Amino acid sequence: MSLTEEKKDDDHTAESSAGPAGSTAGRKRKAEHHAGAAEALRLAVGEDKKYGGGDIVRHRTEVERQVIAKEEQAEEIIESLPVDSNVMPRVELYLPDILKDAVFVGHLVTDLDSVAGAIGAAELYGGIPALASEVNSETAFALEKFGVKKPRTIEEIVAENPGVDVCLVDHQQTSQMNP
């Protein structure tokens, strides 16, 4: 059975018998072992790792706990990835429901990457792009050149819908946030 047929049957755990080029021969779609971050954390840290005869105890960090807690979701995403690069993955696994209908806004002193990030994220997640401030000449040129409508300001959108979820894009510094 080919990978395409496996996908049609929606069988994500079947074994593929593809040939050597791009081969998955003998490899199961669902991993029989864990080589990911969650397993590495379990092996390296365990619940608590003791040093110096037990005088110093290293506890898992919140990030480590979340990596382990989300392992099943990560496995589901990995299992959904096609071996054949011509087959599209199930993208809904990557799209958190909370982002649907959210407003995506870049940083203050709006530049091209913050506007493009807001527009791209809004398109990807089914939300609304917004501006944190007026666009500069480079951004205005790019929007006009590619026929993309300039997003409305975050203030306008939030005034219309005060309970809307807001997602920040292209933020690396707290000084970039609207006060």
Side-chain angles (χ1 to χ4, degrees), residues 1-177:
M1 178 184 291
S2 73
L3 182 61
T4 305
E5 291 168 332
E6 288 174 22
K7 283 292 182 191
K8 286 179 184 172
D9 291 339
D10 204 25
D11 179 5
H12 300 294
T13 59
E15 245 182 272
S16 172
S17 57
S23 176
T24 58
R27 187 179 95 199
K28 289 187 177 180
R29 288 294 293 147
K30 181 174 175 118
E32 292 179 3
H33 61 85
H34 301 280
E39 184 65 9
L41 288 170
R42 274 194 287 277
L43 293 173
V45 179
E47 282 300 317
D48 295 316
K49 189 166 186 174
K50 297 180 180 180
Y51 296 93
D55 295 338
I56 301 172
V57 179
R58 181 192 182 281
H59 301 286
R60 285 188 181 146
T61 67
E62 183 60 27
V63 170
E64 291 169 339
R65 284 191 290 277
Q66 290 302 318
V67 166
I68 291 169
K70 305 285 191 225
E71 179 180 20
E72 191 173 304
Q73 290 171 304
E75 288 291 335
E76 185 180 351
I77 290 171
I78 290 167
E79 290 170 25
S80 78
L81 295 174
V83 174
D84 180 353
S85 63
N86 294 318
V87 177
M88 288 297 293
R90 292 177 27 220
V91 295
E92 67 275 2
L93 293 172
Y94 307 96
L95 306 176
D97 290 335
I98 193 168
L99 296 178
K100 183 162 177 41
D101 300 322
V103 175
F104 294 86
V105 63
H107 57 73
L108 289 175
V109 189
T110 302
D111 56 8
L112 184 56
D113 60 317
S114 69
V115 175
I119 292 170
E123 182 68 25
L124 178 64
Y125 294 110
I128 303 163
L131 300 174
S133 62
E134 280 305 311
V135 297
N136 61 22
S137 58
E138 174 191 35
T139 305
F141 171 80
L143 292 172
E144 183 179 325
K145 172 82 175 163
F146 295 103
V148 177
K149 183 179 172 188
K150 182 174 91 171
R152 297 183 306 148
T153 65
I154 186 70
E155 291 85 0
E156 291 174 46
I157 296 169
V158 171
E160 290 174 7
N161 186 357
V164 71
D165 291 320
V166 175
C167 182
L168 305 177
V169 298
D170 193 32
H171 279 75
Q172 291 82 34
Q173 303 165 358
T174 55
S175 63
Q176 294 175 325
M177 291 187 222

